[in-house]
């Protein structure tokens, strides 16, 4: 359910670093697209045949959960450090 939250949080983090909205959105979109392409190839060609769909799904779950938690903690840390 948190897929949609990661993109705007990453954009907000870059904007807090001083990057303009257009540049931060473009950068996040670039890495989002590259990650999608690389992730699809790695998942379909390497992980699924080697370890199966179940373990591949668990790895995806752990990675996405970690990225989400990292993004949220960075945003909260910066918000409270600015107060």
């Amino acid at each position: 359910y948190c897929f949609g939250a990661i993109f705007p949080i990453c954009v907000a983090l870059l904007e807090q670093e001083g990057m303009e909205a257009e540049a931060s959105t473009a950068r996040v979109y670039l890495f989002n697209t590259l990650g999608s392409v690389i992730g699809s190839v790695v998942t379909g060609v390497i992980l699924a045949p080697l370890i199966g769909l179940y373990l591949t799904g668990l790895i995806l779950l752990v990675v996405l959960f970690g990225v989400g938690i990292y993004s949220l903690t960075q945003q909260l840390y910066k918000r409270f450090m600015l107060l």
Side-chain angles (χ1 to χ4, degrees), residues 3-44:
F3 279 146
I6 294 173
F7 192 91
I9 289 171
C10 291
V11 171
L13 287 173
L14 288 176
E15 287 176 2
Q16 288 177 356
E17 295 290 325
M19 189 177 290
E20 293 191 21
E22 296 85 6
S24 63
T25 303
R27 180 171 289 183
V28 172
Y29 189 71
L30 168 72
F31 285 109
N32 186 38
T33 303
L34 288 175
S36 295
V37 170
I38 293 169
S40 297
V41 170
V42 169
T43 300

Side-chain angles (χ1 to χ4, degrees), residues 1 16 33 37 41 45-46 54 69 82:
Y1 295 108
Q16 288 177 356
T33 303
V37 170
V41 170
V45 175
I46 298 171
Y54 182 76
I69 293 298
L82 295 175

Side-chain angles (χ1 to χ4, degrees), residues 5-6 9-10 13 16-17 64-82:
I6 294 173
I9 289 171
C10 291
L13 287 173
Q16 288 177 356
E17 295 290 325
L64 290 177
F65 186 77
V67 168
I69 293 298
Y70 176 77
S71 298
L72 284 173
T73 56
Q74 289 298 308
Q75 186 174 12
L76 291 173
Y77 175 76
K78 289 182 181 188
R79 179 174 291 165
F80 288 118
M81 292 302 289
L82 295 175

